[in-house]
Amino acid sequence: MKKPKTSYHHGDLAESLLNAVDELATKFGLEAVTLRSCAKRVGVSPSSAFRHYADKRTLLTAFATRALMQLSTVLASANKAALHKDQDAFLAVSLAYIKFAIEKPAFFRAMWREETIYTTDDAYMEAIIVLTSTIKGGFASSLVDDDASSMSSAELLAWSSVHGLANLLIDGPVGNGLSKAQKTSLATDMLELLQPALEA
Amino acid sequence: MKKPKTSYHHGDLAESLLNAVDELATKFGLEAVTLRSCAKRVGVSPSSAFRHYADKRTLLTAFATRALMQLSTVLASANKAALHKDQDAFLAVSLAYIKFAIEKPAFFRAMWREETIYTTDDAYMEAIIVLTSTIKGGFASSLVDDDASSMSSAELLAWSSVHGLANLLIDGPVGNGLSKAQKTSLATDMLELLQPALEA
DNA sequence: GGTAGTATGTGAACACTGTTCACATTTAAT
DNA sequence: ATTAAATGTGAACAGTGTTCACATACTACC
């Protein structure tokens, strides 16, 4: 990770700090991510972070943006894989969404926490748009998409269900003592029950 | 609020601190709730808070517990009112759930934030149980409840959808420029689309 | 190739945070 | 009335985000 070819300049501090957030959030949770610990992890002085991010909140916004893009990528490839194997795209995308939340809860939480990020940031907003359209695309095979900009009731229902279950599993009482397999089966059952309602 | 009948002892500091969390979270958001500001608001020294709460996290857990009970109460009375007026209970309870999240976002966030509260706290766990059964009770009129302890797929789907929409509205891109009325109508449309799937 | 200018990293300082602890004060029990 | 327990205080600690004058390295131009 470190590039000690020059002792003073780091080379790519902005990205390295994001990686530090990534690692610390994964290991110790979002709440434990501190600017100073990120700087220390990268091997740099705390104040240097401010050359690249105006704020701690700006850094977290960049991290949230990155997480959003990762999720979009995961969903898109799940969609593609399902279509390729002639499986149900809605189920595959939904399960990928929930799986992402379960496996990277800190990432999932960071994406949406309005009090900790700048939701009007340009890059963040675009990542949101990309995710939204990816989700709509992933649901498109089973849904009638009338409008490109706004969401239909069916799309909203699909997203809400999946998003809600993901949240209940990582920040709620539902998935408490359950293994990952049990959670997945829970999700599958729920999704199969939902599916008929989306095809009306 | 203040009781200056005795200058030294406060009388009911534990509850007053909870009220302070309440007010500060409402005005400035959860992130802005600080132990010192709560103490100052109550007119007491910062260290005195530790006579009643071992931790800041313990205080926030108590606040989350209180919020959970408030939500339970709201849902129960929505359910009762709907039955009384011979209206649909599921719709009424769901809308009350979403309305609570929209009107008291800081409360709603505090209830579920696993990193900021002690989810194994006894009072908290009981409040969760009460809420869960209240929700199941609220959905019971349209759902077949087979088991008392675990949740059926239909119940999980109902809760996930409602919970997910609530989250998307307060910590997500869905409700961004929308008025409260628009959000409510969005929710109503979604719920009416969902309803048939729950009666299978 | 040397020099000016700009980008990037540093160290010390600021106010603020949660938390502790010896101490002060009030209430309750005997 | 005296003791014990409960409750509030003030000063201190390490850790936080943030700023700013300063140091160092990279870039562009003559």
Side-chain angles (χ1 to χ4, degrees):
Chain A
M1 284 295 154
K2 292 180 182 178
K3 297 179 182 177
K5 66 179 179 182
T6 84
S7 56
Y8 200 88
H9 274 40
H10 181 274
D12 196 1
L13 187 50
E15 174 120 10
S16 296
L17 285 173
L18 277 183
N19 292 334
V21 176
D22 186 319
E23 294 161 18
L24 290 175
T26 301
K27 273 192 199 162
F28 309 110
L30 253 191
E31 233 60 38
V33 173
T34 185
L35 224 90
R36 291 178 115 103
S37 62
C38 290
K40 178 174 282 181
R41 185 167 193 83
V42 175
V44 100
S45 133
S47 47
S48 58
F50 292 89
R51 295 271 173 228
H52 302 270
Y53 302 98
D55 252 346
K56 183 190 181 184
R57 200 167 171 178
T58 304
L59 171 60
L60 290 182
T61 303
F63 177 65
T65 306
R66 205 206 219 187
L68 281 173
M69 296 192 302
Q70 287 175 11
L71 178 55
S72 292
T73 303
V74 166
L75 297 188
S77 71
N79 188 22
K80 198 173 165 186
L83 292 180
H84 201 262
K85 289 188 283 181
D86 206 32
Q87 293 177 332
D88 188 78
F90 167 69
L91 212 80
V93 171
S94 299
L95 282 177
Y97 192 102
I98 291 168
K99 205 171 155 193
F100 185 94
I102 292 175
E103 284 172 358
K104 306 199 156 194
F107 286 52
F108 189 76
R109 291 185 186 113
M111 293 186 216
W112 312 107
R113 192 165 295 182
E114 302 236 343
E115 286 190 0
T116 335
I117 61 181
Y118 292 118
T119 49
T120 55
D121 175 84
D122 282 349
Y124 176 80
M125 287 177 79
E126 190 179 323
I128 283 281
I129 291 175
V130 170
L131 176 65
T132 305
S133 69
T134 305
I135 286 177
K136 291 182 66 168
F139 296 164
S141 49
S142 31
L143 268 61
V144 183
D145 194 340
D146 46 356
D147 191 348
S149 63
S150 92
M151 294 200 104
S152 71
S153 284
E155 286 164 342
L156 191 57
L157 173 56
W159 193 5
S160 291
S161 309
V162 173
H163 189 72
L165 183 56
N167 271 298
L168 284 178
L169 285 174
I170 66 171
D171 278 316
V174 168
N176 258 358
L178 280 57
S179 71
K180 218 181 88 177
Q182 287 174 308
K183 292 177 187 173
T184 306
S185 112
L186 220 64
T188 309
D189 289 350
M190 189 200 80
L191 292 168
E192 283 172 352
L193 184 60
L194 168 63
Q195 224 162 357
L198 301 177
E199 292 159 357
Chain B
M1 284 294 152
K2 291 179 182 176
K3 298 178 182 177
K5 66 178 180 184
T6 85
S7 56
Y8 201 87
H9 274 40
H10 181 275
D12 197 0
L13 187 50
E15 174 119 10
S16 294
L17 284 172
L18 278 183
N19 292 333
V21 175
D22 186 319
E23 294 162 18
L24 290 174
T26 301
K27 272 192 202 163
F28 309 111
L30 254 192
E31 232 60 38
V33 173
T34 183
L35 228 98
R36 290 177 116 103
S37 63
C38 291
K40 179 174 281 182
R41 185 166 193 80
V42 175
V44 101
S45 132
S47 47
S48 59
F50 292 89
R51 295 272 172 228
H52 303 270
Y53 302 98
D55 252 346
K56 183 190 180 182
R57 200 166 170 178
T58 304
L59 172 61
L60 290 181
T61 304
F63 176 66
T65 306
R66 203 205 220 186
L68 281 172
M69 296 193 302
Q70 287 176 10
L71 178 55
S72 292
T73 303
V74 166
L75 297 188
S77 73
N79 188 21
K80 197 174 165 187
L83 292 179
H84 200 262
K85 289 187 283 179
D86 206 31
Q87 293 177 330
D88 188 78
F90 167 70
L91 211 81
V93 171
S94 300
L95 282 177
Y97 192 103
I98 290 167
K99 203 172 156 192
F100 185 94
I102 291 174
E103 283 173 358
K104 306 200 156 193
F107 286 51
F108 189 75
R109 292 185 185 114
M111 294 185 217
W112 312 107
R113 192 164 297 182
E114 302 237 343
E115 287 190 1
T116 335
I117 61 181
Y118 293 117
T119 49
T120 55
D121 175 84
D122 282 349
Y124 176 80
M125 287 177 81
E126 189 178 325
I128 283 279
I129 291 175
V130 170
L131 176 65
T132 305
S133 69
T134 305
I135 287 176
K136 289 182 68 168
F139 296 165
S141 48
S142 31
L143 267 61
V144 183
D145 193 341
D146 46 355
D147 191 346
S149 63
S150 92
M151 294 200 104
S152 72
S153 285
E155 286 165 342
L156 190 57
L157 173 56
W159 194 3
S160 292
S161 309
V162 174
H163 189 72
L165 182 57
N167 271 296
L168 284 178
L169 285 175
I170 66 171
D171 279 316
V174 168
N176 257 358
L178 279 57
S179 71
K180 218 181 87 178
Q182 286 173 307
K183 292 177 187 172
T184 305
S185 113
L186 220 64
T188 308
D189 289 350
M190 189 201 80
L191 291 168
E192 282 173 353
L193 183 60
L194 168 62
Q195 222 161 357
L198 300 176
E199 292 160 357

